[in-house]
Structure formats: structure tokens, C-alpha cells
């Protein structure tokens, strides 16, 4: 798949998961950093969403261990950011305000958010970075927070 197809698959996977939870969405094609609008009937609010997608984990440049990684600009215009891993059909949902708190690195106006996926990675070291440490951010658990 090319990058455009990977991105589209991520958007559709998020849309599918939200629809299964009874949340209405609409995909956007504006090129403005907003990929989707999701409506909360409970809050009577529309949330804008930026979707970041990986096809599969790749070896890290730091230590060669498998990671999923996404970049989010400091000036992200969306209310929410969804991180998608197509290989596991997993989606994690964060408010834009949470990105600086949980991102492991910041470089040139962007936050680098990554998950270690190797089970041998030390879960006790420093800031959370392993996929299992972010289970509470899975879209199925986070959607009720927002919607």
C-alpha cells in the first residue's frame, strides 16, 4: 500500500470503530489537518479528529526493537488525535492537550509519540512508552469520555 492508502485505511478503521459504539462521524478532505468530525449526541458537540496511521511496527533506530511511531505538530488544529496500527486493527484516542504530556520526544515543532511493542522492553523505565501502558487510551475505552 502507498501512504495515501494507509492513511485512508486508518481513517476508515477509526470510523468503523466509532460507528460500532453508536458515534456518528464524517470524513473530511480539506487538507487542513482535520481528517474527521465525530458528533457527541450526549454533549451536543462535534469533535474534530486528526488520524495518524501506521501499517505495522518497524525497528527503532535507537535499539532495533519494534515500535509504532507517530508525529503530531505542536499546532495540531484538531480536538482529538487518533493513533492507528493497521497490523493489529488497534486505535488509541487522545485529546490534543494530552499529546505533549505523553509524547516521548519533541523536535522542530512536532511531538513524537511512540509505542514499544516488543514484550521484552522494560516497563518500569521512565515515561510510559510500551503499548500495554496505553490500554486505557484504546478507542473503545476513550470514546465514552468524549462522546
Amino acid at each position: 500500500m502507498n501512504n495515501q492508502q494507509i492513511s485512508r485505511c486508518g481513517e476508515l478503521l477509526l470510523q468503523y470503530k466509532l460507528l460500532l459504539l453508536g458515534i456518528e462521524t464524517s470524513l473530511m478532505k480539506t487538507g487542513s489537518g482535520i481528517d474527521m468530525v465525530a458528533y457527541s449526541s450526549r454533549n451536543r458537540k462535534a469533535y474534530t479528529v486528526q488520524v495518524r496511521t501506521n501499517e505495522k511496527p518497524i525497528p527503532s533506530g535507537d535499539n532495533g526493537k519494534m515500535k509504532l511511531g507517530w508525529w503530531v505538530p505542536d499546532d495540531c488544529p484538531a480536538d482529538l488525535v487518533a493513533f492507528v496500527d493497521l497490523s493489529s486493527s488497534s486505535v488509541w484516542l487522545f485529546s490534543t492537550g494530552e499529546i505533549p504530556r505523553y509524547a516521548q520526544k519533541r523536535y522542530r515543532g512536532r511531538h513524537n509519540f511512540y509505542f514499544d511493542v516488543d514484550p521484552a522492553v522494560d516497563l518500569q523505565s521512565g515515561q510510559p512508552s510500551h503499548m500495554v501502558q496505553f490500554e486505557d487510551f484504546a478507542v473503545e475505552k476513550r470514546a465514552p469520555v468524549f462522546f
Side-chain angles (χ1 to χ4, degrees):
M1 286 192 292
N2 64 38
N3 288 341
Q4 187 175 16
Q5 291 167 325
I6 291 168
S7 294
R8 183 81 169 130
C9 285
E11 293 166 359
L12 291 171
L13 181 59
L14 173 61
Q15 187 175 41
Y16 169 74
K17 287 183 174 264
L18 290 174
L19 190 56
L20 283 176
L21 297 169
I23 300 162
E24 294 294 331
T25 64
S26 181
L27 293 174
M28 307 297 290
K29 293 295 170 195
T30 64
S32 65
I34 305 297
D35 299 309
M36 177 184 296
V37 175
Y39 182 71
S40 168
S41 56
R42 177 178 53 112
N43 298 334
R44 295 180 186 215
K45 176 179 173 22
Y47 290 87
T48 56
V49 185
Q50 187 172 94
V51 182
R52 298 299 202 178
T53 306
N54 279 307
E55 183 178 15
K56 62 186 176 195
I58 60 171
S60 166
D62 297 338
N63 57 20
K65 296 202 184 283
M66 300 302 281
K67 293 184 188 284
L68 292 165
W70 305 270
W71 288 93
V72 179
D74 287 349
D75 60 352
C76 177
D79 299 313
L80 306 173
V81 177
F83 296 122
V84 179
D85 171 34
L86 296 178
S87 68
S88 66
S89 295
S90 298
V91 179
W92 299 268
L93 194 60
F94 292 81
S95 71
T96 304
E98 291 172 320
I99 299 301
R101 178 176 170 200
Y102 290 105
Q104 291 83 2
K105 296 179 184 176
R106 185 175 176 280
Y107 182 71
R108 293 189 179 183
R110 299 184 305 162
H111 287 89
N112 183 213
F113 202 103
Y114 63 84
F115 292 159
D116 291 298
V117 297
D118 188 322
V121 170
D122 180 14
L123 297 179
Q124 303 304 316
S125 63
Q127 184 170 1
S129 66
H130 199 280
M131 190 165 73
V132 299
Q133 293 170 303
F134 290 96
E135 289 175 354
D136 289 341
F137 290 89
V139 69
E140 295 83 359
K141 292 183 179 181
R142 288 292 282 195
V145 172
F146 302 109
F147 306 104

